[in-house]
Amino acid sequence: MQLQFYNIINDELRGSENTHTVTDPRTEDELWPCPIAATEDFEDAVSAAQKAFTTWSQTTVPERQALLVKLADNLKEHGEELANILAKETGKSAILAGIDVQAAIAQSLYYSQNALQDEIQHEDAHTKIISTHIPIGTVGAICPWNFPLILSNIKVVSSLITGNCVIVKPSPFTPYAVMKWVELARGIFPPGVFQVLNGGAELGALMCSHPGIHKISFTGQTSTGKKVMAACAKTLKKVTLELAGNDACIVLPDADLEKAVVSIASGGFFNAGQVCVASKRIYVHEKIYDEFLEGLVKEVEGKYKVEEDGEVPSVFGPVDNKLQFEIVKGIIEDCKNKGYEIKTGGKTVNVTGSGKGFWLEPTVVSRPPEESLLVQEEQFGPVLPVLSWSDEDDVIRRANLANAGLGASVYSRDLREAERVARRLEAGSVWINQSERPNFAAYFSGIKDSGFGGEMGRQGLLSYAYTKCLHFTK
Ligand code: NAD
């Protein structure tokens, strides 16, 4: 299938002299040429957004809500086409690519019904104070590659429902579905309100430093997030940083092991571990360690098969790109070189017969040392360390790494006990008896090295608006 892609500026299709292609993670074949936005394209998009903002920012919440429903309908109409493109560029199976599209639809519909409302902040005999939420201006949405549509869409719908314009920059590893989505959505919003530009670090840096962009919502690595924040400081941009996580999962001695094993395998290996809130370090109480490990290995070997066909209903696929593939392979090599016990997996797989593609077996490593690369760094791939603990203070200290501020999980039959442990974990979200799965209604944020601010839920929307107070004297 030969497809064409465009930057979308002021609702117009724009090509470029410079293009790049993405490598299909299944086969290493080159996919379609994708135009790289030039500085002039970026300047034109900023001007179009500035022009559009004067009227778009004055639209009412119900008007914007109605347009979000249209955006969701458009996604539904083109869902299959977009899922097919997304499956190609990410290596996801049909089921996983479908989840990306379906979740984006659900997010749009959620925000079409959950806009920010004015609130009375104070009232007495003489004074009434009302807070209202006004748009910031133009939002630059800088996105990663692991869930291209979901993670772009949350920034887009949050921007639009609050009356901002938005320019999306997908990851250069996965630009296609996002670019096609914006192309297909032309005509829903006034020109200049919803635009897309393809590019890499250079374009991202330009967005962060330009005075015509008023907020950056960034999702990506912690090291990039630091550069983003520094660049945004020069123009005092509002910044949301959704960064990396190294989620700890703590299994208490009374956990329902059968359920915990299923949930934790999914937490670690869904999307081949390329989830910001994947369970990335499993701490199991010493008393149940052997039984848990045996169950986990059985579950992984039985359910997380390496399969080429994108139509196979698998939640496990190749690593998305060569850069990440080399990082994960390096972590596995480090485990081998240091003699850690690999209970299952540990090898690349020749799925296509040509030896090509970024395929790795789901890998479980038993009791690597706490200071190992696998435990200390975010692996962002299909390799999971299983560690043991016996003292609660000790496991909490080990769990609370600086880079572990995004998510965590706790498993116990005793919900009070689980809650007590969850409250001791320094992470933005903690799931109890469930692997880490964000919910649109709940604020999702990283603390410590995992970020700054957050998205989703009512509190997430607040970061896309200024809150202004009107003080009435009676
Ligand atoms: P990345 O930081 O390499 O890139 C993210 C985006 O930033 C890309 O669009 C990239 O082109 C752009 N970029 C690169 N340099 C830039 C610069 N100097 N200024 C502005 N933009 C720049 O991240 P990635 O590898 O694409 O994504 C994987 C990471 O994202 C993982 O660490 C994962 O944990 C994290 N992540 C976090 C969340 C979350 O919600 N907290 C969600 C998904 C992924």
Side-chain angles (χ1 to χ4, degrees):
M1 111 181 119
Q2 190 53 41
L3 295 173
Q4 298 230 302
F5 296 88
Y6 304 93
N7 294 304
I8 307 296
I9 301 167
N10 208 25
D11 255 17
E12 286 160 13
L13 308 178
R14 201 179 284 188
S16 171
E17 278 177 13
N18 293 320
T19 60
H20 75 104
T21 51
V22 171
T23 306
D24 182 332
R26 288 192 181 86
T27 58
E28 292 185 56
D29 291 342
E30 290 303 304
L31 293 170
W32 314 281
C34 198
I36 301 172
T39 305
E40 193 191 337
D41 298 322
F42 173 65
E43 291 289 354
D44 288 349
V46 172
S47 299
Q50 263 163 354
K51 189 159 168 258
F53 185 72
T54 52
T55 44
W56 174 247
S57 59
Q58 300 307 310
T59 51
T60 62
V61 168
E63 283 168 340
R64 300 198 290 262
Q65 286 175 315
L67 294 185
L68 279 201
V69 174
K70 282 194 178 175
L71 186 68
D73 287 344
N74 189 269
L75 255 178
K76 277 184 208 161
E77 188 185 337
H78 299 289
E80 200 179 329
E81 176 184 355
L82 291 172
N84 286 341
I85 295 172
L86 193 134
K88 271 297 221 193
E89 64 186 330
T90 57
K92 291 183 197 220
S93 62
I95 191 169
L96 273 188
I99 287 173
D100 222 298
V101 174
Q102 292 308 321
I105 293 169
Q107 276 173 345
S108 307
L109 292 176
Y110 175 81
Y111 276 127
S112 74
Q113 288 158 12
N114 290 278
L116 295 172
Q117 306 294 340
D118 290 359
E119 286 158 42
I120 297 175
Q121 297 231 325
H122 174 78
E123 187 161 24
D124 61 27
H126 311 287
T127 308
K128 183 173 183 182
I129 306 172
I130 293 177
S131 64
T132 189
H133 308 286
I134 57 170
I136 296 172
T138 300
V139 175
I142 303 181
C143 309
W145 47 259
N146 58 330
F147 288 92
L149 267 180
I150 300 177
L151 296 173
S152 304
N153 185 74
I154 187 67
K155 299 179 190 312
V156 167
V157 292
S158 303
S159 300
L160 296 178
I161 195 65
T162 43
N164 298 287
C165 296
V166 60
I167 300 174
V168 195
K169 190 197 90 56
S171 164
F173 288 119
T174 53
Y176 302 118
V178 172
M179 294 183 88
K180 195 52 80 183
W181 168 49
V182 185
E183 180 188 329
L184 293 167
R186 281 178 309 144
I188 297 177
F189 299 94
V193 168
F194 179 26
Q195 307 181 90
V196 66
L197 297 174
N198 174 47
E202 210 176 307
L203 177 61
L206 200 57
M207 292 170 91
C208 295
S209 61
H210 198 286
I213 302 282
H214 308 98
K215 174 191 164 89
I216 290 288
S217 178
F218 170 84
T219 300
Q221 299 181 42
T222 301
S223 54
T224 319
K226 288 178 185 174
K227 290 184 201 159
V228 166
M229 192 160 173
C232 287
K234 294 193 187 104
T235 47
L236 264 193
K237 280 186 196 22
K238 307 288 164 276
V239 193
T240 300
L241 299 177
E242 295 277 13
L243 308 180
N246 191 5
D247 292 23
C249 161
I250 301 186
V251 187
L252 301 187
D254 72 334
D256 180 332
L257 275 195
E258 219 172 292
K259 286 189 184 157
V261 154
V262 173
S263 179
I264 292 168
S266 155
F269 292 110
F270 183 79
N271 198 30
Q274 302 164 107
V275 181
C276 56
V277 282
S279 307
K280 292 181 181 132
R281 297 174 291 149
I282 316 300
Y283 292 95
V284 185
H285 194 276
E286 191 61 55
K287 277 189 194 159
I288 51 166
Y289 184 88
D290 291 341
E291 194 186 341
F292 174 88
L293 187 64
E294 195 186 320
L296 183 70
V297 168
K298 206 167 147 207
E299 175 76 6
V300 172
E301 289 178 346
K303 275 204 201 147
Y304 294 84
K305 296 210 171 72
V306 182
E307 289 161 322
E308 185 195 1
D309 188 353
E311 300 304 314
V312 170
S314 166
V315 293
F316 190 87
V319 175
D320 176 277
N321 57 75
K322 190 161 178 61
L323 186 68
Q324 190 60 28
F325 180 59
E326 295 300 334
I327 291 172
V328 185
K329 266 199 319 183
I331 292 175
I332 295 175
E333 276 313 306
D334 184 68
C335 292
K336 287 183 183 166
N337 293 340
K338 302 212 165 110
Y340 307 153
E341 193 184 355
I342 295 179
K343 297 299 288 188
T344 187
K347 295 191 288 298
T348 55
V349 193
N350 183 2
V351 176
T352 54
S354 63
K356 296 212 167 151
F358 310 135
W359 300 90
L360 279 171
E361 288 177 330
T363 301
V364 175
V365 184
S366 173
R367 289 195 172 102
E370 204 62 29
E371 63 279 9
S372 61
L373 201 57
L374 175 57
V375 177
Q376 293 294 310
E377 298 297 328
E378 182 198 42
Q379 63 272 50
F380 217 61
V383 46
L384 198 56
V386 185
L387 303 118
S388 63
W389 65 278
S390 53
D391 175 73
E392 185 181 305
D393 286 345
D394 175 56
V395 74
I396 295 287
R397 184 187 51 75
R398 291 155 70 196
N400 284 338
L401 292 180
N403 67 4
L406 196 57
S409 51
V410 180
Y411 290 81
S412 168
R413 281 194 169 88
D414 182 340
L415 289 186
R416 280 209 193 142
E417 189 60 2
E419 180 181 346
R420 194 182 57 70
V421 173
R423 285 180 185 274
R424 296 188 70 191
L425 288 168
E426 294 165 2
S429 306
V430 185
W431 284 262
I432 291 167
N433 290 332
Q434 187 208 323
S435 56
E436 299 90 331
R437 296 284 175 264
N439 181 311
F440 317 137
Y443 187 51
F444 182 73
S445 73
I447 61 176
K448 305 206 291 187
D449 288 357
S450 296
F452 191 88
E455 296 186 308
M456 299 205 254
R458 182 178 175 282
Q459 195 170 336
L461 273 193
L462 285 170
S463 68
Y464 285 83
Y466 288 121
T467 297
K468 168 167 136 183
C469 283
L470 303 173
H471 297 246
F472 295 88
T473 301
K474 291 180 182 168

